[in-house]
Amino acid sequence: IYARSDRGLHRVEFYMEQALISQKIPPEESAQELLAQFTWLPPAVGAYDLSFIAYDTHNKPSERASIPVAVVAPNLPGQGRFV
């Protein structure tokens, strides 16, 4: 996930179905850009809504960015398949 704010970034949050599952904080409080990577293992085959919110240093949230994901194969190490 790439996030940018002219005010600086405080954190980026990663959600699955509206539940917070991870967050990333830039190494410097004054950072204006952050490339955040998240690892997500789906709990089961099915449809999921993954979303992200970035917060600036004034704690103002961005609009939620969502990605619909369909998991069509069991979650086996190295064998997951996403659509």
Side-chain angles (χ1 to χ4, degrees):
I1 301 302
Y2 173 77
R4 185 181 193 302
S5 172
D6 292 336
R7 295 182 182 175
L9 289 166
H10 179 63
R11 71 183 181 281
V12 176
E13 296 177 340
F14 176 39
Y15 293 84
M16 181 188 74
E17 303 299 332
Q18 306 296 322
L20 178 65
I21 58 175
S22 186
Q23 68 176 354
K24 298 290 182 186
I25 297 172
E28 298 176 17
E29 183 69 26
S30 61
Q32 292 184 334
E33 296 181 337
L34 176 65
L35 181 58
Q37 296 180 1
F38 299 92
T39 299
W40 173 67
L41 296 175
V45 169
Y48 298 92
D49 180 51
L50 304 180
S51 58
F52 309 88
I53 301 175
Y55 290 83
D56 68 16
T57 54
H58 297 255
N59 214 32
K60 181 180 176 187
S62 67
E63 291 186 28
R64 184 179 294 259
S66 296
I67 303 169
V69 176
V71 179
V72 296
N75 183 21
L76 302 173
Q79 297 179 10
R81 209 174 121 212
F82 303 95
V83 174

